[in-house]
Amino acid sequence: MSLNEVGTAREGAGSFHPVRQSARLLDATHDWALNGGWGRSFVVATLGMGLATLALLSIKGLLGPGDTALLILPVIVGVAAVGGVRAGVLGALLGFFVAKYFFFPAYYSLHSDDPRDWTSLVVFELIGLAMGIQTTRTQQRQVDLGAREREASILYRLSRELATEESPEGVCRRVISTLAGIVPDGRSEIVLATTSTLPQRAARSTPGDVPPRAADPSGSVPTTRASEDVYGEQRGDTWTTTLATEREEGTLNITGARPGRRERRLCAAVAQLAATHLARIRLRALATRAEAVHETERLKSNLVSSVSHELKTPLAIVTAIVTNLLEADLEWTPGTVHAELEVAANALELLNASIGDLLDLSRLESGNWMPAFDWYDVDDILGTVIDKVPRIWQSRVQLAVATGAPMVYVDFVQWVRMLGHIVENALIYGGDDTPVTIRVYRTNNALVFSVEDQGPGVAPEEADQIFGKFYRGRLSAIAPGGTGLGLAIAREIVEFHGGRIWSETISEVTGNPRPGARFTVTLPNSACRGATDTLEEEE
């Protein structure tokens, strides 16, 4: 299939179009003559002039010498149009001898007594040759224009398709599919550079049942006799071109065919387009990797900062208290000693909580703390949560739970730890002496746990960020202590249980001016059983 047929090969499949088939036949003859040197051009010229001679001989009695010369002119033009310039030159020479031998006086001889006959013949043949050459060039320009238009159409369509691809595999599949229409007799293969940062699973892509071929780690190509042009290199029955932008992305190999110059030009353009999009994906992967490294470094910095502060502060308190108690020149009453030891105990409890948060998050992320699921009563879970709240805050916690709350299929320790972190967060940021309400109710799809406070709420831009590790939001000055891990641990636990967790400001959701933040956790109904009474959510 010639390039002139690319983009139209599927039109009219199974039907016959005389004009289109004739045009394709002429194109095929033209390409055959151009690619075959003087020998094929001679065949075209001889065949065309021979048929014309037979036709003119059949009406020789009706024509004069001048009429014959005029009729030979379009034959020369036609031979040149079909076979190219070489065929036109040979056709002009043959036409000269045919006209003199068969149609000018002193018939069947190249001798002429009148020099004007020779002059007329030479002039006619030169005119015919010039017309043939001009016709050939015009035709060639039309063919090139049509080929360029089809190339532009193919490249535009491919470019739009590649713009939507986000993986090397997708780019390779699109390119291979396009090449199948350009060089249908060949088998296309893309081998990505071994130094590419793209995923190795995308290193090769071949159509159909063509087995993948591994890239040579050295990047070398077998030394065989090859022909090379600006578009690529032909080695045996394999044509190769490089996919390169600012660096080599890979190579394109087409085996089992010898594409013509137009096909090579279009295949090279397709390869360049593929290289551009492979580079785009590679650079995006590098950017993502760099961003991940930057985020890792930021988390490490936050970890060092938070942990060093949270661990050093209680240790410093305990060290100061113990040092003071050991001073020999100071007298301590039992009441004072008890008060100092109580402060030390609280500091150690804070230290233990900080270390526990770090260990919990590490175990959750590594998968070493897998949930031990069982059926538990919601009332038992909430009771344990409240028991773990410091005594000075327990009076602030209020429950709004339907009677006969259902059983839930959870890990008891993890679920208590999750709710405890959310309740503690609400107690800290909700304001002094303000209530924190724990609600439990059912919807059509889930059992809902919500914790509401009466603090300033959660800024919309922080609604998701506050669940990140070590994140300390705009209200962190209210509670200068803490590692910023509580809500991150809560989210990990909820997701392990197949639920969802989110935060919102109550006034923005309900339109009620009542202040405060609401943290909502949902558990699928499949993890609940028992009572079906519900408690409607209060506005």
Side-chain angles (χ1 to χ4, degrees):
M1 181 184 294
S2 69
L3 182 59
N4 294 330
E5 298 174 53
V6 175
T8 61
R10 295 174 182 170
E11 297 178 5
S15 59
F16 178 77
H17 299 277
V19 175
R20 185 179 300 164
Q21 296 299 331
S22 299
R24 291 179 179 176
L25 179 61
L26 289 175
D27 283 346
T29 304
H30 184 73
D31 291 342
W32 179 81
L34 287 180
N35 296 327
W38 285 96
R40 293 183 182 179
S41 298
F42 180 77
V43 172
V44 173
T46 302
L47 183 62
M49 197 55 64
L51 293 175
T53 300
L54 292 176
L56 292 174
L57 286 175
S58 66
I59 57 174
K60 179 178 179 180
L62 303 176
L63 303 173
D67 299 328
T68 303
L70 288 174
L71 291 175
I72 288 177
L73 285 179
V75 177
I76 297 173
V77 172
V79 169
V82 172
V85 175
R86 289 193 295 262
V89 172
L90 293 174
L93 293 175
L94 289 175
F96 175 85
F97 289 109
V98 165
K100 175 62 191 72
Y101 192 83
F102 290 106
F103 301 104
F104 276 71
Y107 299 110
Y108 309 112
S109 171
L110 297 179
H111 174 74
S112 177
D113 296 328
D114 189 350
R116 291 177 297 179
D117 292 343
W118 290 104
T119 302
S120 298
L121 283 172
V122 170
V123 170
F124 274 115
E125 299 307 322
L126 289 177
I127 293 173
L129 179 60
M131 293 176 62
I133 292 174
Q134 185 61 34
T135 300
T136 300
R137 290 177 176 175
T138 302
Q139 183 189 45
Q140 188 62 43
R141 283 195 293 270
Q142 291 176 343
V143 170
D144 288 341
L145 181 61
R148 292 287 187 181
E149 182 180 355
R150 292 182 179 90
E151 288 177 13
S153 175
I154 291 172
L155 292 175
Y156 173 72
R157 183 173 62 251
L158 179 61
S159 178
R160 292 188 60 183
E161 292 174 350
L162 294 182
T164 62
E165 294 294 343
E166 298 298 333
S167 67
E169 301 98 318
V171 170
C172 291
R173 282 195 299 269
R174 298 282 191 182
V175 171
I176 294 297
S177 177
T178 300
L179 291 173
I182 300 173
V183 189
D185 297 331
R187 296 174 298 175
S188 301
E189 175 189 33
I190 294 176
V191 182
L192 299 186
T194 55
T195 57
S196 174
T197 59
L198 298 172
Q200 287 300 312
R201 57 192 173 88
R204 291 176 293 276
S205 177
T206 57
D209 56 356
V210 181
R213 183 167 57 84
D216 187 346
S218 65
S220 62
V221 180
T223 55
T224 58
R225 193 174 185 84
S227 60
E228 185 175 2
D229 58 18
V230 295
Y231 304 121
E233 187 178 45
Q234 185 78 45
R235 293 181 178 273
D237 65 343
T238 300
W239 182 80
T240 301
T241 190
T242 301
L243 281 66
T245 50
E246 75 281 358
R247 52 153 285 175
E248 183 175 336
E249 303 292 340
T251 57
L252 166 64
N253 302 320
I254 299 179
T255 306
R258 290 180 173 269
R261 181 176 177 81
R262 294 175 194 154
E263 284 81 4
R264 294 198 303 273
R265 181 178 64 195
L266 181 53
C267 289
V270 169
Q272 182 62 33
L273 191 59
T276 300
H277 286 276
L278 288 173
R280 169 180 61 83
I281 295 172
R282 175 175 57 83
L283 293 175
R284 179 174 296 179
L286 286 174
T288 302
R289 185 180 302 172
E291 183 178 354
V293 170
H294 175 74
E295 179 65 14
T296 300
E297 292 299 324
R298 186 187 68 82
L299 290 176
K300 286 181 180 179
S301 177
N302 288 343
L303 174 62
V304 172
S305 176
S306 298
V307 171
S308 62
H309 179 269
E310 293 305 315
L311 298 185
K312 286 173 63 177
T313 299
L315 284 176
I317 294 174
V318 173
T319 301
I321 292 174
V322 173
T323 302
N324 288 335
L325 290 176
L326 291 176
E327 289 292 337
D329 56 345
L330 295 178
E331 294 185 3
W332 297 92
T333 65
T336 304
V337 172
H338 182 272
E340 290 294 322
L341 291 177
E342 188 173 7
V343 173
N346 290 335
L348 291 174
E349 185 177 352
L350 177 62
L351 177 62
N352 182 65
S354 298
I355 296 175
D357 287 347
L358 289 170
L359 292 176
D360 287 349
L361 186 61
S362 175
R363 291 164 60 198
L364 285 169
E365 291 187 334
S366 64
N368 291 328
W369 190 16
M370 298 303 294
F373 290 102
D374 204 344
W375 291 101
Y376 296 98
D377 192 287
V378 168
D379 292 332
D380 293 339
I381 293 175
L382 296 179
T384 305
V385 170
I386 295 175
D387 287 342
K388 290 181 177 294
V389 172
R391 292 183 180 179
I392 58 173
W393 286 348
Q394 287 185 1
S395 60
R396 294 173 53 193
V397 180
Q398 301 177 357
L399 296 179
V401 184
T403 57
M407 303 282 285
V408 290
Y409 192 65
V410 297
D411 180 301
F412 187 87
V413 175
Q414 289 189 7
W415 206 251
V416 167
R417 189 73 57 86
M418 177 272 297
L419 289 175
H421 282 304
I422 297 176
V423 171
E424 180 184 0
N425 186 81
L427 289 167
I428 293 174
Y429 292 99
D432 296 336
D433 301 326
T434 59
V436 169
T437 305
I438 303 176
R439 302 182 188 277
V440 181
Y441 58 93
R442 295 187 71 171
T443 66
N444 291 332
N445 301 316
L447 179 68
V448 180
F449 294 80
S450 72
V451 178
E452 301 175 4
D453 62 46
Q454 296 185 13
V458 180
E461 64 273 13
E462 292 185 329
D464 186 63
Q465 295 176 351
I466 59 177
F467 294 100
K469 292 180 289 187
F470 310 111
Y471 184 79
R472 304 278 291 164
R474 61 186 177 88
L475 301 177
S476 58
I478 296 177
T483 58
L485 293 176
L487 294 180
I489 294 172
R491 180 168 66 177
E492 290 287 339
I493 292 175
V494 171
E495 291 178 352
F496 261 109
H497 285 72
R500 294 178 57 236
I501 181 172
W502 66 91
S503 66
E504 56 199 1
T505 298
I506 296 175
S507 59
E508 294 180 357
V509 176
T510 64
N512 191 320
R514 177 162 64 93
R518 175 189 296 157
F519 287 81
T520 303
V521 175
T522 62
L523 194 63
N525 271 335
S526 58
C528 308
R529 73 179 182 187
T532 58
D533 295 340
T534 62
L535 177 70
E536 296 297 331
E537 183 181 3
E538 295 181 1
E539 298 296 337

